Amino acid sequence: MWMSIFTSVEVGLMFALMALGVYLSFRILDFPDLTVDGSFVTGAAVAAIMLVNGANPLIAVTAAFAAGFIAGVITGLLHTVGGINPLLSGILMMIALYSINLRIMDAPNVSLLTQTHLFTWIREGIGGTWAIMGVMVAVVLIVKVMLDFFLKTEFGLALRAVGDNHLMITSFSGNIHFYKVFGLGLSNALVALAGALVAQYSGFADVNAGIGMIVIGLASVIIGEAIFGKKTIIRTTLAVIVGAIIYRIIVALALRVEFLETGDLKLITAIIVILALVLPKAIAKQKETMRKRQRRLRLSAQKG
Amino acid sequence: MLQLNDIYKVFNEGTPDEKVAIDEISLDVKKGDFITIIGSNGAGKSTLFNIIAGKMFPDMGGVVINEQDVTGLPEYKRARRIGRVFQDPMAGTSPTLTIEENLAIAYSRVKPRTLRPGVTAKRRTFFKEQLETLGLGLEDRLRAKVGLLSGGERQALSLLMATFTKPDLLLLDEHTAALDPSRAALITRLTKEIVEREQLTTIMITHNMQQAVDLGNRILMMDKGQIIFEEEGARKKHLTVSDLLNEFGKMKGTELSDRTLLGG
Ligand SMILES: Nc1ncnc2c1ncn2[C@@H]1O[C@H](COP(=O)(O)OP(=O)(O)OP(=O)(O)O)[C@@H](O)[C@H]1O
Ligand SMILES: [Mg+2]
């Protein structure tokens, strides 16, 4: 039990980077980007192939980040220059990436079990139960702080305005095409980074590992926002990270239930997202009805 | 400062819906001019603004700003020198960003955006000073999200954002039309104050004839894509609403009510 929650948190921290990427596209840019299913694997594939060929793990991870960025940029160009609608741009890129990922890996599955990678480094270099957890917390916090800072720069404010009111930012000399392309690049770079980390952690890269990734990302964002709200950027990015961890814990607990199997995971994910979307509204409505009823009771008591 | 040379714009050319929105308009706007434009619905006023701002491109003719031909320049590039306020109070601000963040976006319109913080202590002081000139107490709500402001407050903020970087040209498209009378009067007064203080070259579209007569040194009347009446200087100063109605009737050769011009 404890062990499975512990690993859930470790993995959750890796998926948190992916969730931050989804937050960037879905929330900040208001662009439902489905590239994620492909770019997650692209990150894994690039890192895996480079590691197999003896590259330094840090360089492999950086290359994965860059590959994700390029994938996002292409989705952005399909939408802005090609005039294709956001959903379709993402789907097209996702499909294209499936083939590209296969090409990169040259096989549906690449094993990293015998390779030196980031986590073998950490296990050997630092050691102890908490080594990976500690490093991941540090990495995620650094990314979070950088993202928070970025979204408050002149550039970042314009990026946020693009998703909020593109008429307005254009009239203040912001090139919305440029910001969308860059934002999608950054978003998918984070997703690919997560893909590269997860592949090393689990010891293999698989061409099908990305299926449903976008829903997992959304689940994290929505769970986080439902619990912590979205008052400020700093708070929301924290919410997204914690949301990703909570999602992993829910999944781990669900899988311990006797009659559920690994194959049910996607169904569980879908149900979690639906609940996270519906419950907050239902609860708010319930509270309102209660308030009204109490008020009426009070009023009738005064009269009577 | 701004020259429009034989601008012609037609929508849906060659279809049954063909519509000539701008029919060979030429205009020379001098530095410091404050022009009011009136005209019935569909006269082509907003289209003219869109062509000046670069949101649309003319089918024929050219746009020159400060001796530079900008006819093909996209909107976001021209926006460094052109401030705009729209009719819809929601259009000019970003609702999930705070007041100070919105001001920061407006502040960095004039140069490339950097990776430096948008709101700094120094800028915040400047933003406060600027907000104080509105007299709405917004200077005490710098960190409030703009989506929480009323329509009038948002429009006042839009006006400030469009003007405090001193654009070469200010375009106001019925920017008081969506507000209740008292808020509209407030925005009109602020517009007058800001334009005079900053000496901004301004073009304002309005359906309020009184406003068109009271404000500015030049007036244009548009109809069916053309400028059908124009007055400036001393003669503009003494113009009254009934003069305008007369003019409009004469040009069209028909009797017209205030309603028609006001756009119903
Ligand atoms: N994008 C467009 N596509 C097709 N027709 C358009 C387009 N924009 C404007 N028009 C047409 O061009 C004409 C001029 O429109 P415009 O918006 O410039 O009028 P306006 O003078 O601003 O009117 P109002 O006082 O109602 O705002 C109208 O007949 C309008 O239907
Ligand atoms: Mg109009």
Side-chain angles (χ1 to χ4, degrees), chain A residues 7 19 58 71 136:
Chain A
T7 38
L58 283 178
M136 277 319 301

Side-chain angles (χ1 to χ4, degrees), chain B:
Chain B
M1 191 263 113
L2 165 74
Q3 280 88 34
L4 301 177
N5 302 318
D6 298 315
I7 301 287
Y8 182 82
K9 176 77 183 177
V10 49
F11 289 112
N12 304 319
E13 196 163 8
T15 71
D17 294 329
E18 184 169 302
K19 170 85 197 176
V20 179
I22 303 290
D23 195 359
E24 309 238 326
I25 285 186
S26 292
L27 183 67
D28 186 0
V29 180
K30 289 178 229 24
K31 196 167 184 308
D33 268 352
F34 185 169
I35 303 178
T36 54
I37 300 185
I38 50 173
S40 42
N41 289 119
K45 306 179 296 294
S46 298
T47 307
L48 192 68
F49 267 21
N50 285 333
I51 287 173
I52 296 173
K55 193 173 208 72
M56 291 174 183
F57 300 104
D59 295 320
M60 279 187 276
V63 182
V64 176
I65 298 177
N66 284 338
E67 261 93 81
Q68 191 200 341
D69 186 342
V70 298
T71 312
L73 210 63
E75 185 186 4
Y76 75 89
K77 284 192 180 157
R78 286 189 217 183
R80 291 210 179 157
R81 307 188 237 167
I82 302 179
R84 293 189 84 176
V85 183
F86 306 92
Q87 176 172 351
D88 179 4
M90 306 298 148
T93 47
S94 187
T96 65
L97 269 57
T98 62
I99 293 181
E100 61 181 13
E101 287 170 340
N102 269 276
L103 286 161
I105 286 178
Y107 189 84
S108 47
R109 82 188 298 168
V110 291
K111 48 188 186 347
R113 294 186 158 83
T114 67
L115 287 178
R116 280 195 287 266
V119 183
T120 58
K122 203 171 134 212
R123 284 186 192 176
R124 192 173 281 134
T125 319
F126 174 69
F127 294 161
K128 270 198 166 161
E129 282 168 20
Q130 291 293 319
L131 285 168
E132 276 163 16
T133 66
L134 296 179
L136 296 174
L138 293 180
E139 61 275 11
D140 301 323
R141 301 168 66 190
L142 281 175
R143 291 205 173 87
K145 287 196 177 163
V146 168
L148 301 172
L149 303 186
S150 74
E153 288 169 336
R154 272 181 89 160
Q155 201 65 329
L157 182 62
S158 304
L159 184 65
L160 180 64
M161 285 165 59
T163 54
F164 79 143
T165 52
K166 302 190 178 49
D168 293 344
L169 180 64
L170 176 63
L171 302 178
L172 308 169
D173 191 348
E174 298 185 45
H175 70 309
T176 62
L179 306 172
D180 68 55
S182 71
R183 291 281 136 179
L186 168 78
I187 299 294
T188 307
R189 177 174 63 74
L190 288 172
T191 306
K192 197 162 179 276
E193 279 173 19
I194 292 173
V195 169
E196 274 169 15
R197 175 161 28 101
E198 312 286 351
Q199 303 197 316
L200 300 173
T201 309
T202 305
I203 312 179
M204 179 174 92
I205 296 173
T206 178
H207 279 293
N208 182 332
M209 302 251 268
Q210 195 60 51
Q211 201 181 36
V213 165
D214 292 344
L215 294 175
N217 66 323
R218 282 175 80 178
I219 186 166
L220 304 179
M221 193 187 285
M222 281 182 67
D223 189 48
K224 298 206 175 75
Q226 295 180 320
I227 298 174
I228 56 165
F229 174 74
E230 204 180 337
E231 202 67 271
E232 64 181 298
R235 289 168 60 100
K236 152 77 174 66
K237 230 182 203 141
H238 297 111
L239 212 62
T240 63
V241 171
S242 62
D243 290 341
L244 276 185
L245 286 171
N246 274 340
E247 271 318 315
F248 200 68
K250 251 195 296 180
M251 294 288 166
K252 305 270 287 186
T254 46
E255 216 23 56
L256 272 163
S257 72
D258 199 18
R259 278 284 100 190
T260 331
L261 262 186
L262 287 170

Side-chain angles (χ1 to χ4, degrees), chain A residues 81-98:
Chain A
V81 180
I84 303 171
N85 91 25
L87 273 175
L88 197 53
S89 309
I91 292 176
L92 288 171
M93 197 55 203
M94 173 183 96
I95 290 290
L97 281 176
Y98 190 87

